[in-house]
Structure formats: structure tokens, C-alpha cells
Amino acid sequence: MCNPSYTLRAGVFKEITLLAAFLAQGFAVVVTDFDGFDGTHFLTFGEGKMVLDGIRAAKNDPALGLAGSAAGLYGYSGGGSGTARAAEMHRSYAPDVLVLGSAQGGVPGDMVSIARQNITHDQGIANFSGPSNFTMWLALSNLAATYPEVFDPAEFLTEAGQAVLSNVEGRCVYTAAMTGAYRPVADCLKPGKGLDDPAIQRILVEQSLDQPPNLPDMPVLMWHAIWDELLSFPDAIKSTVDSYWANGVDLRYFTNPIPEHVVGDVTAVPVAETWISAVLRGLSPGPKFRIGI
């Protein structure tokens, strides 16, 4: 989701149908503006902390009467990033919050692989990273704000690249996409500069998922669309699924055979919504499985 603190008030919240479906079942819904708040948490564990803090805030508001309530997590793509990172941070950051399950799709897991793909614009039907180029501009904006000692735009980027970075700073994902799609960061790097800088690689590894001991401690339903143009399959997620499975996470993973990032979300909504709703009602999350990866 993008800037829900604005879109909910303005009546342009695109997830309104999903929100209404949960409300119609009698659930309270917490919508955390983890990127619109200050724009520096994109694809980092800061998103997860803010999601958990949002749940805490709702539970601690006496006017809502939710103090004794359990919670479930749900998100896709950017929302999937915040959801997955909240699931991993739960054990250490918010053990006081009872989380019964996490439904997370289109999750950006391996930040090193995602950066490697999205920094360039490969040609051809099989290599369609052009639409995803904007994600690296947003990630670099976050790097510049959060780790100025590691990423100085004036040191790494040409004047044209610095202009693009300034343009997307603080922007919504969707408007940033219009600026950064098919505009690879690689074309705007100064000679001899690259994101293979050891300090940048260290941060990308630190912000990737599946870093034990920070693993989900609740049942997880996870999915990823095949031929995803924004988060390449399987590179963006395989290491996460492998680590979860090997380390005993209570995981149900499936590869959605429907291609394309957005369609991969919409077509999985009935399954994911039904699953998290059942878990919130105290029903069994079902057996563990991994299909398609």
C-alpha cells in the first residue's frame, strides 16, 4: 500500500475492498503507514517494527477495547515486505503481541538478488526488469537518508542520477514508478562506482529476510507469482523459502502459476483472505507445504 494515512482520508485507498471484507467479518483492522510516515523505511526491517507498533497502539487504546485481542498479519508486495518483516521481528521486538498467523505475498526477500536485477534494464521477453527499475531508486533514496555514511548520492551518481533520486524522494510508490521505470540506476552511476560496494552489500544482506534467529514464530502462508516483473522469481524469494523450511518455520508456500506481479496478488486474495480469517477464528492453519519452488 502507499501512504494510507492520506489515501484513506481522500477516499482513494485501493485496498478498500480487502479492508471491507475483513471489517464485514467483525475484525478490527490496523493500517500502518510504514512508508508514508517519513519515507526512510522502504524494504527494511523498520517497516516490520512500525507494523507491530501499529498493532500495539490499537491494543493499548482503551477506547477500542482490543487489549485482549490476538492479531493476524496480511500484506502483498510493499505490504508483503512490511508484513514479512513484522513476522520476523515479532519474536524479539513484540513478544507481548499475540500474532496467530501471517499471510504474505510477493515478498521481497533477498535484497542482494533484487538489487542485482533491478539496477539494470535487460532486453527481451524473458528478462523484463525495466518496469522494476523504480524500486532501486526508492531503495537508494532510503539508503541516502538512513545510511548517509555509506551512500552519498554525489559520490555514486551522475548529475542526472542525482536529479532522478531527488525526484522520487518522499514520493508514493506509484508516482515514483512513473519516474523510475525503464530508467536503470546502472546508467546513472559514475565511472568506477557500483552497488557492489562492500558497505552497501552488507546493508542489503542485513535487510534481507531469513536471517536466523529472526524467523517467524507463527504460522505463515506465503506466495509469489511466476514471471513476476517487479520481484524476479525465484531469485527474490527462494533463499527465504529455503531458510524457513530448513529452520522449521510453520510455512505454507505456493508459487502462483498466474504471471505478473499485480495479477499474482489479485488472484491469490480469496485463498489468503480465507486462510488468515480462519486462523484468526482459532481454526487450524493446516499442514506445512511448499509447492512450486
Side-chain angles (χ1 to χ4, degrees):
M1 58 185 64
C2 184
N3 297 353
S5 57
Y6 169 77
T7 57
L8 276 167
R9 292 183 290 111
V12 292
F13 185 67
K14 70 179 182 62
E15 291 89 356
I16 193 65
T17 301
L18 181 62
L19 177 63
F22 285 123
L23 292 174
Q25 297 180 69
F27 297 126
V29 180
V30 177
V31 182
T32 307
D33 196 350
F34 53 77
D35 287 330
F37 179 70
D38 64 7
T40 61
H41 296 284
F42 183 69
L43 302 184
T44 72
F45 281 94
E47 293 180 335
K49 291 182 177 180
M50 292 182 75
V51 169
L52 294 168
D53 283 343
I55 297 172
R56 270 200 185 115
K59 287 172 64 67
N60 292 336
D61 186 339
L64 298 177
L66 299 174
S69 298
L73 307 174
Y74 188 106
Y76 184 84
S77 189
S81 173
T83 299
R85 283 163 172 78
E88 289 204 353
M89 293 297 297
H90 175 255
R91 187 196 312 266
S92 60
Y93 186 75
D96 54 301
V97 176
L98 176 58
V99 178
L100 299 180
S102 180
Q104 51 199 54
V107 172
D110 187 337
M111 296 306 299
V112 175
S113 293
I114 291 170
R116 186 182 302 118
Q117 182 213 14
N118 293 353
I119 193 175
T120 60
H121 175 196
D122 297 328
Q123 302 293 328
I125 296 175
N127 297 304
F128 48 3
S129 59
S132 62
N133 289 156
F134 79 92
T135 61
M136 281 313 302
W137 289 108
L138 288 173
L140 291 183
S141 176
N142 174 43
L143 276 175
T146 309
Y147 306 98
E149 75 284 0
V150 171
F151 183 76
D152 179 359
E155 177 184 351
F156 279 84
L157 299 175
T158 62
E159 290 187 5
Q162 294 175 55
V164 175
L165 193 67
S166 178
N167 188 297
V168 302
E169 184 177 357
R171 296 263 297 277
C172 172
V173 170
Y174 306 107
T175 58
M178 299 177 188
T179 298
Y182 296 100
R183 185 173 284 180
V185 171
D187 288 355
C188 297
L189 291 169
K190 287 185 175 180
K193 295 294 182 180
L195 299 189
D196 54 353
D197 179 278
I200 293 179
Q201 287 293 303
R202 174 181 57 80
I203 291 171
L204 291 174
V205 170
E206 289 176 354
Q207 299 305 326
S208 294
L209 294 175
D210 65 80
Q211 301 295 313
N214 291 326
L215 295 172
D217 59 350
M218 74 286 293
V220 173
L221 174 68
M222 182 184 294
W223 69 97
H224 203 97
I226 197 168
W227 298 327
D228 188 318
E229 81 280 12
L230 296 188
L231 300 168
S232 62
F233 178 81
D235 296 346
I237 198 63
K238 187 178 188 306
S239 64
T240 301
V241 174
D242 288 347
S243 178
Y244 283 6
W245 195 258
N247 285 284
V249 172
D250 191 359
L251 176 68
R252 293 137 204 85
Y253 170 83
F254 68 94
T255 297
N256 191 341
I258 305 297
E260 204 277 322
H261 185 73
V262 175
V263 179
D265 174 20
V266 175
T267 54
V269 164
V271 173
E273 181 189 327
T274 300
W275 182 83
I276 196 66
S277 297
V279 169
L280 283 169
R281 286 186 168 85
L283 298 178
S284 169
K288 295 170 56 176
F289 61 81
R290 55 183 297 181
I291 300 172
I293 195 173

